[in-house]
Amino acid sequence: MPTVLFEVKENVAVITLNRPEKYNAFIRDMALLLQQHLDVCKKEKDIRAVYLTGAGKAFSAGQDLDEVVDPNGPRLPAILAEHYNPIVRMIRKLDKPVVAAVNGVAAGAGANIALCCDVVVAAASASFIQAFSKIGLIPDSGGTFFLPRLVGWQKASALMLTGEKVPAAEAERMGMIYKVFADEDFATASMQLAQTLAQMPTKGLAYTKQALNGAFQNHFEDQLHDEEVLQQRAGTTADFAEGVHAFLEKRAPRFRGE
C-alpha cells in the first residue's frame, strides 16, 4: 500500500497518511509523496479544499526514528530541508483551505504539520504532543512559529520544554485547535466541514489565507494596506458577484471558486 492515500470526493482532496502499523510516522517516501499530492491540490482546479487525516489510531507520531538511526537514511538537516519544511510551506501557500482532521495522537512533526493547517479539528480521544524534548531535539516543522501564536508564548514554551500530552478537549480550550467532535461523529463531522469549505467562495478564502499569512509579520498599517489590496481582488471575483446577487434575490448562492 502507498504510504499516503489520495482521492477526490465532491471537490475535496482527501489525503490520508497511511502507515497505521507505525502510527503514521514519517519516512522519506511518505514525506515526498505527501508533497506530490499537495502539488496536485495546487494545480487541479476542481479541488477546492483539502482534508488531511491519518489511517488507523493515529494522525501521525512524527518522524520514524528508525530512519534517523539508519546509517543509510537521511540526516536531520535533510529531513527538515527536504521533508517537513516543504510540506509546511506548501500548506501555507496553497490557495485552498486545508482541514487537519486529527483522528488520534499527533506528536512531534505530526502535531506541527496539523497545527499549520487552516482549520484543525480533532476526535475527542486525540491528543497533541511536542515530543521533541524527550529525545533532546527542538520543535520543528514550524512548531516554534505557530504554537506560540496559537496559545501564547508561556504556554507554548512549557508544552515544548516538558513534552506534556495535551488532550483534544484541552487543546480546544486553549485555542490550539478549532473544534472537537465525539469519536463516533468525528469522520462524518470533519468531512462535512471540509465539504462546506469546498462549496464556499474559495477565491475569497484564498485571499483570507494570504491576509492571515501576512499578519504573522506585518505592522498594523502594512496589514491595512494588504487588506485593501486583497479586498479589491476579492471584489472582482465571480463568486463575489454571485454572493451579492444571491443575497439580494433571497436565494442560496452557487459559488464556483472563480
Side-chain angles (χ1 to χ4, degrees), residues 166-240:
V166 181
E170 178 67 7
E172 180 186 7
R173 188 198 65 77
M174 69 174 67
M176 185 187 297
I177 66 173
Y178 170 53
K179 190 173 287 188
V180 175
F181 297 114
D183 286 359
E184 60 270 23
D185 301 327
F186 175 72
T188 299
S190 59
M191 181 57 71
Q192 284 177 343
L193 173 60
Q195 290 170 340
T196 297
L197 290 170
Q199 299 308 310
M200 291 179 69
T202 43
K203 278 282 188 181
L205 300 188
Y207 293 142
T208 300
K209 186 169 180 175
Q210 289 180 34
L212 287 170
N213 284 341
F216 286 137
Q217 64 260 354
N218 275 350
H219 295 295
F220 177 58
E221 291 297 333
D222 296 328
Q223 193 67 14
L224 289 179
H225 173 266
D226 286 356
E227 287 178 357
E228 290 180 15
V229 171
L230 293 168
Q231 191 71 298
Q232 189 277 331
R233 293 176 186 170
T236 65
T237 62
D239 281 343
F240 170 67

Side-chain angles (χ1 to χ4, degrees), residues 39-99:
D39 192 51
V40 171
C41 294
K42 174 184 177 181
K43 295 176 179 176
E44 292 293 331
K45 182 179 178 181
D46 289 341
I47 294 174
R48 296 177 58 193
V50 178
Y51 179 90
L52 177 62
T53 193
K57 298 180 179 179
F59 178 79
S60 173
Q63 176 62 35
D64 189 326
L65 295 179
D66 286 337
E67 183 179 65
V68 175
V69 299
D70 183 347
N72 298 315
R75 302 298 90 199
L76 285 175
I79 289 172
L80 292 186
E82 299 173 16
H83 299 186
Y84 298 130
N85 290 350
I87 290 170
V88 173
R89 288 191 183 103
M90 293 178 79
I91 289 173
R92 290 313 315 156
K93 292 179 180 179
L94 187 65
D95 61 354
K96 299 163 186 182
V98 181
V99 175

Side-chain angles (χ1 to χ4, degrees), residues 106-169:
N112 292 335
I113 288 171
L115 295 179
C116 89
C117 293
D118 300 300
V119 182
V120 187
V121 294
S125 60
S127 58
F128 298 80
I129 313 170
Q130 294 293 320
F132 304 91
S133 64
K134 304 292 188 180
I135 56 172
L137 293 179
I138 74 158
D140 56 33
S141 308
T144 60
F145 184 86
F146 291 106
L147 191 59
R149 288 165 169 79
L150 291 169
V151 303
W153 183 88
Q154 179 59 229
K155 194 73 173 181
S157 175
L159 292 176
M160 289 175 172
L161 296 179
T162 65
E164 176 186 351
K165 179 188 290 188
V166 181

Side-chain angles (χ1 to χ4, degrees), residues 241-258:
E242 167 63 11
V244 171
H245 288 141
F247 177 81
L248 295 175
E249 296 166 9
K250 296 181 172 57
R251 61 172 173 82
R254 297 180 292 274
F255 296 121
R256 305 193 307 272
E258 300 174 351

